[in-house]
Amino acid sequence: EAQVTQNPRYLITVTGKKLTVTCSQNMNHEYMSWYRQDPGLGLRQIYYSMNVEVTDKGDVPEGYKVSRKEKRNFPLILESPSPNQTSLYFCASRFGTGLNNEQFFGPGTRLTVL
Amino acid sequence: QKEVEQNSGPLSVPEGAIASLNCTYSDRGSQSFFWYRQYSGKSPELIMSIYSNGDKEDGRFTAQLNKASQYVSLLIRDSQPSDSATYLCALYPGGSYIPTFGRGTSLIVHP
């Protein structure tokens, strides 16, 4: 089944404790991205990657890191999480870099930082 | 700031009626417009995409794009309770690989 997977789905952590949210897709998509969704603010892009070893900042990159060492994986790293990073996070992928191509979203990771 | 505006709702319609969801945008260079449906706590799923002016129909859904007036709309015919969700409008501002999402309109279809 073609899909984007994320782990963990739910995470409660404390301020300053490094964490990684994994994202993997099995559709051989070049483009992957991370979003956060907050009430009243909608979906905002954190980072995106056009291909292996090619990443760039989205609208809200502060406090996050990403890497793209393999085509299928695009982990999101929070080196020192803070309470304002409590949010619902989605990973997404699409084929190629064409803007007409459908984005497929992962199931989401609900993160709470205490 | 390249903005996408949606009425947050909720928009409440009776079962069987037509639901009309609207989205306006500020960047005239915007291209590739999308409507996503998102159930509470779930991920967005693509319903419709539209790239040129006019109407595009897919089953009970019709997307309408008017670039001159900078709006895109989604019509849902014969609305069902299962259509109750938040609908997100999204687009790519001119020259950008970063999509901009509206904040979504909550739709409630009551029996």
Side-chain angles (χ1 to χ4, degrees):
Chain A
E1 180 188 355
Q3 59 183 349
V4 179
T5 57
Q6 296 179 225
N7 282 291
R9 296 288 314 281
Y10 303 90
L11 179 60
I12 301 174
T13 189
V14 295
T15 299
K17 185 176 181 181
K18 181 180 179 180
L19 67 92
T20 299
V21 184
T22 64
C23 173
S24 183
Q25 50 91 8
N26 62 1
M27 296 170 278
N28 202 34
H29 285 170
E30 288 82 5
Y31 182 97
M32 298 184 73
S33 59
W34 276 102
Y35 296 86
R36 61 177 291 173
Q37 188 173 37
D38 304 288
L41 295 179
L43 272 168
R44 294 178 292 169
Q45 193 172 66
I46 302 170
Y47 268 95
Y48 66 97
S49 170
M50 307 279 268
N51 214 324
V52 176
E53 302 290 3
V54 181
T55 63
D56 208 346
K57 297 177 180 178
D59 291 326
V60 288
E62 294 78 19
Y64 304 95
K65 288 175 59 177
V66 293
S67 68
R68 187 91 181 272
K69 298 188 186 325
E70 307 167 275
K71 197 172 186 179
R72 63 183 293 126
N73 296 324
F74 191 44
L76 179 69
I77 303 156
L78 285 71
E79 295 267 2
S80 183
S82 62
N84 65 12
Q85 293 178 298
T86 293
S87 188
L88 179 58
Y89 291 86
F90 291 104
C91 181
S93 73
R94 73 171 190 256
F95 177 74
T97 55
L99 302 184
N100 294 352
N101 298 334
E102 177 182 355
Q103 267 198 122
F104 294 84
F105 284 85
T109 295
R110 187 168 293 280
L111 172 65
T112 301
V113 183
L114 302 175
Chain B
Q1 179 74 19
K2 297 181 172 63
E3 295 187 349
V4 177
E5 298 289 341
Q6 294 182 257
N7 188 321
S8 61
L11 173 66
S12 182
V13 301
E15 184 174 357
I18 296 175
S20 178
L21 304 162
N22 299 308
C23 171
T24 59
Y25 58 95
S26 60
D27 182 2
R28 285 195 171 274
S30 297
Q31 51 189 325
S32 300
F33 302 84
F34 304 87
W35 282 100
Y36 288 85
R37 178 176 62 199
Q38 186 177 26
Y39 294 112
S40 181
K42 303 296 185 182
S43 57
E45 55 178 330
L46 183 67
I47 297 179
M48 295 281 292
S49 57
I50 186 166
Y51 313 119
S52 55
N53 280 329
D55 295 0
K56 179 181 178 183
E57 186 175 319
D58 184 0
R60 295 186 297 113
F61 300 96
T62 298
Q64 300 174 317
L65 175 61
N66 185 323
K67 289 188 177 181
S69 300
Q70 295 175 242
Y71 79 80
V72 56
S73 61
L74 180 70
L75 301 178
I76 306 175
R77 291 181 298 281
D78 189 23
S79 295
Q80 301 297 309
S82 59
D83 294 325
S84 298
T86 296
Y87 290 80
L88 305 175
C89 172
L91 55 84
Y92 287 93
S96 175
Y97 286 105
I98 301 176
T100 300
F101 284 81
R103 298 179 183 183
T105 298
S106 174
L107 173 66
I108 299 172
V109 182
H110 53 87

